[in-house]
């Protein structure tokens, strides 16, 4: 049983980043028990999962599709347990992260390195920015690279100011989100929580 769980962990390590970044409509793989709901994982568990993944991923990548040796399985199990998780809880988080956008986004936030600006952006500002971007994106896409006319500029400025952010602060967050993975991940988490 332990070998099967570690094989699942190594398979997850090989596919976690792409799987977490993608939205999926397929149900999680059955594990014999009901999968925990997205909100059932504490921040500490999500952080532990991210820490374990950082240690497991290089091991799993070195396997190149081969089955892990007993030594590699022990190393992966030790990484999981050192993160404060049981193997079952680690696998439950991995399954939930693939099946649920919010859990997947929480894991991406935990995995992303903090930036210098990210720490200064509040959760409320992230939500306001994400909400404004959701409304601005269709306008920008319709422009197809062309400069907005006065009416479009006014509409975009209204969206930003309606979000509660000043244009200056919106632009600061936008520039930082382009450069800082953790801030981008936080914006993605705000979108996932809002169902955008």
């Amino acid at each position: 049983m332990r070998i099967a769980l570690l094989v699942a962990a190594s398979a997850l390590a090989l596919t976690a980043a792409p799987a977490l970044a993608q939205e999926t409509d397929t149900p999680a793989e059955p594990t014999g028990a009901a999968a925990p709901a997205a909100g059932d994982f504490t921040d500490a568990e999500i952080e532990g999962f991210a820490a374990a993944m950082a240690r497991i991923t290089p091991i799993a990548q070195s396997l190149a599709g081969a089955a892990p040796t007993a030594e590699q399985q022990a190393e992966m199990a030790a990484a999981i347990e050192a993160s404060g998780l049981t193997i079952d809880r680690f696998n439950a988080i991995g399954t939930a992260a693939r099946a649920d956008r919010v859990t997947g986004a929480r894991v991406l936030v935990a995995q992303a390195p903090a930036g210098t600006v990210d720490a200064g952006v509040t959760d409320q500002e992230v939500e306001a920015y994400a909400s404004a971007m959701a409304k601005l994106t269709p306008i920008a896409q319709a422009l197809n690279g062309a400069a907005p006319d006065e009416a479009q500029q006014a509409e975009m400025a209204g969206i930003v100011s309606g979000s509660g952010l000043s244009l200056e602060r919106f632009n600061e967050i936008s520039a930082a989100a382009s450069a800082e993975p953790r801030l981008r991940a936080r914006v993605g988490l705000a979108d996932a929580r809002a169902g955008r």
Side-chain angles (χ1 to χ4, degrees), residues 47-87:
E47 292 288 333
F49 179 85
M53 285 298 297
R55 292 183 58 198
I56 289 172
T57 299
I59 299 166
Q61 288 174 339
S62 72
L63 297 174
T69 65
E71 182 180 320
Q72 290 166 323
Q73 288 180 2
E75 193 176 343
M76 289 187 287
I80 292 167
E81 291 165 1
S83 73
L85 297 172
T86 64
I87 293 170

Side-chain angles (χ1 to χ4, degrees), residues 153-177:
Q153 286 179 347
E155 181 182 6
M156 293 188 300
I159 290 169
V160 171
S161 64
S163 73
L165 295 172
S166 69
L167 286 171
E168 180 181 358
R169 184 62 176 156
F170 177 87
N171 288 334
E172 288 172 356
I173 295 170
S174 186

Side-chain angles (χ1 to χ4, degrees), residues 2-84:
R2 185 176 180 112
I3 292 173
L5 292 172
L6 290 175
V7 170
S10 65
L12 173 64
L14 287 172
T15 61
L20 293 174
Q22 296 173 356
E23 212 176 310
T24 179
D25 292 329
T26 58
E29 299 167 15
T31 59
D40 288 348
F41 302 112
T42 66
D43 289 342
E45 288 176 316
I46 296 292
E47 292 288 333
F49 179 85
M53 285 298 297
R55 292 183 58 198
I56 289 172
T57 299
I59 299 166
Q61 288 174 339
S62 72
L63 297 174
T69 65
E71 182 180 320
Q72 290 166 323
Q73 288 180 2
E75 193 176 343
M76 289 187 287
I80 292 167
E81 291 165 1
S83 73

Side-chain angles (χ1 to χ4, degrees), residues 92-161:
I93 294 169
T95 298
R98 288 189 308 272
D100 174 66
R101 284 187 63 212
V102 172
T103 303
R106 288 177 67 200
V107 168
L108 289 174
V109 169
Q111 290 175 324
T116 56
V117 176
D118 170 63
V121 180
T122 67
D123 288 341
Q124 183 179 359
E125 288 177 318
V126 167
E127 174 54 40
Y129 175 80
S131 177
M133 284 301 295
K135 295 172 186 169
L136 291 170
T137 299
I139 298 169
Q141 288 173 338
L143 290 171
N144 199 24
D149 61 28
E150 285 185 41
Q152 291 164 324
Q153 286 179 347
E155 181 182 6
M156 293 188 300
I159 290 169
V160 171
S161 64

